[in-house]
Amino acid sequence: MLYYEQHIEQTLKLLAPEIKSSKKQSMVRKNQYHINLKDYLIAILGVDLTAVEGLDEIGLLTILAVTGPDMSKWPTAGHFTSWLNLSPVLK
């Protein structure tokens, strides 16, 4: 495991201390983490957002790093989508 992955895992343990660290069982490809991020993300966010098409573990980790675990800032999915600049501009 690389140094930066250890640092990320230590930070995730602060947000979800009940998760035991585990390595991925399958072969790790280039640009993937060796730790099982999915378990941490489910514990922190309360739902498996990797089931949403287009969202992967690394993308969700990035969103979590920017927004934090509190999603109450956005009352609806539309508000969050707009904040991400993913909604179309209607004229």
Side-chain angles (χ1 to χ4, degrees), residues 1 14 30 48 56:
M1 187 180 322
L14 293 174
K30 182 178 174 183
D48 182 13
D56 62 352

Side-chain angles (χ1 to χ4, degrees), residues 1-61:
M1 187 180 322
L2 301 171
Y3 172 74
Y4 68 90
E5 288 183 5
Q6 292 172 349
H7 184 70
I8 290 170
E9 187 172 28
Q10 288 172 354
T11 304
L12 289 171
K13 282 182 182 180
L14 293 174
L15 295 171
E18 66 277 358
I19 300 296
K20 301 286 183 205
S21 78
S22 64
K23 293 186 178 192
K24 286 190 176 180
Q25 300 298 325
S26 62
M27 190 173 105
V28 179
R29 295 182 183 177
K30 182 178 174 183
N31 296 329
Q32 288 186 338
Y33 291 102
H34 292 84
I35 57 175
N36 191 357
L37 289 176
K38 188 172 184 175
D39 292 341
Y40 286 109
L41 291 170
I42 291 171
I44 294 166
L45 299 173
V47 65
D48 182 13
L49 290 178
T50 59
V52 176
E53 187 175 337
L55 292 178
D56 62 352
E57 295 169 349
I58 296 173
L60 289 170
L61 187 62

Side-chain angles (χ1 to χ4, degrees), residues 70-83:
D70 181 21
M71 294 295 194
S72 66
K73 305 171 215 173
W74 301 278
T76 66
H79 287 92
F80 186 62
T81 305
S82 177
W83 180 81

